[in-house]
């Protein structure tokens, strides 16, 4: 039981660590709001030319934009979460210290990422979302049950996001230099999650493929749950299936990596 008390403490510590960067948080709020404005007017023009694109009306498209900006840092679509630190610790050999801790490596970093994500959502995501809801027509629900379902979808989205980034980070055990992996994570995260354009708007076979990939569980699925475009139970099943599968694969890859790890310099 004592070991399990570590993980909440790690999450709280990560929350406090990110909370110290107040200037960076304020800059992030400003950046997300500005990018939200750019995307909103782009989407309004696009939906005026193509009404009903992806099954959304203009209000839903606007809601999708501001939700994406609210979740951008929380779910680390572009990277920049725990995975950067983990890959660096592998490169420098500090990962040896982590492996000697009497805790599970995957759960340790999950707890760390949960603390970071909660702060990023509250500190950087809420203000742009409220700004968008106040100044633009949105399709937000009035039913408390829908908001509850959305929160469940958000938790599952975070698990999927962590699992994807954990797998990418583990490649550092073989590659050592994580720069290329970080770039690949950024590109796939922005495109496949629907941050650039809702996945519902992707045509034909491409749309079918991207909506079946795990990145769809991060933004597209929570957005559809929030706006009533997806049945919550089906959405939860999709997200949970990917979360369980990716976390299990991450566990297997972690086991293989730690069996062969060689600490540089000794």
């Amino acid at each position: 039981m004592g070991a399990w008390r570590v993980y909440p403490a790690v999450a709280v510590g990560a929350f406090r660590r990110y909370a110290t960067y107040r200037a960076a948080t304020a800059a992030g709020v400003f950046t997300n709001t500005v990018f939200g404005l750019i995307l909103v007017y782009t989407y309004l023009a696009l939906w005026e030319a193509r009404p009903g694109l992806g099954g959304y009306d203009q209000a839903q498209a606007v809601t999708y934009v501001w939700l994406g900006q609210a979740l951008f840092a929380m779910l680390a679509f572009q990277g920049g979460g725990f995975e950067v630190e983990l890959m660096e610790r592998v490169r420098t050999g500090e990962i040896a210290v982590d492996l000697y801790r009497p805790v599970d490596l995957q759960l340790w970093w999950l707890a760390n990422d949960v603390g970071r994500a909660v702060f990023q959502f509250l500190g950087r995501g809420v203000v742009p979302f409220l700004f968008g809801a106040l100044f633009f027509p949105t399709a937000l629900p009035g039913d408390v049950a829908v908001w509850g379902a959305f929160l469940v979808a958000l938790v599952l989205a975070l698990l999927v996001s962590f699992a994807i980034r954990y797998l990418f980070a583990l490649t550092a055990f073989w590659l050592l230099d994580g720069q290329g992996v970080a770039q690949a994570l950024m590109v796939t995260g922005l495109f496949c999650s629907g941050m650039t354009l809702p996945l519902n708007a992707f045509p034909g076979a491409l749309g079918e493929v991207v909506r079946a990939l795990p990145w769809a569980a991060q933004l597209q699925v929570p957005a559809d749950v929030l706006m009533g475009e997806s049945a919550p139970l089906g959405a939860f099943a999709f997200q949970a299936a990917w979360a369980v599968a990716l976390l299990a694969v991450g566990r297997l890859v972690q086991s293989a990596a730690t069996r062969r790890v060689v600490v540089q310099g000794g």
Side-chain angles (χ1 to χ4, degrees), residues 216-242:
Q218 296 178 265
L219 176 57
Q220 186 66 62
V221 171
D224 283 343
V225 169
L226 182 65
M227 294 186 288
E229 293 293 320
S230 179
L233 291 181
F236 299 159
F238 176 79
Q239 291 178 296
W242 271 119

Side-chain angles (χ1 to χ4, degrees), residues 38-50:
I38 294 171
L39 284 173
V40 160
Y41 285 111
T42 303
Y43 275 34
L44 288 174
L46 179 59
W47 259 259
E48 185 174 349
R50 294 284 304 276

Side-chain angles (χ1 to χ4, degrees), residues 171-197:
T171 62
F173 280 96
W174 288 271
L175 300 177
L176 298 183
D177 187 353
Q179 290 300 316
V181 173
Q183 291 297 316
L185 180 62
M186 179 184 70
V187 172
T188 54
L190 290 177
F191 181 79
C192 295
S193 68
M195 271 300 298
T196 53
L197 189 69

Side-chain angles (χ1 to χ4, degrees), residues 124-135:
R124 182 169 169 175
V126 171
V127 172
F129 188 77
L130 292 177
F131 175 87
L134 286 173
F135 292 99

Side-chain angles (χ1 to χ4, degrees), residues 5 22-23 69 130 140 144 250:
R5 296 194 188 101
R22 298 173 184 173
Q69 294 305 309
L130 292 177
L140 297 177
V144 175

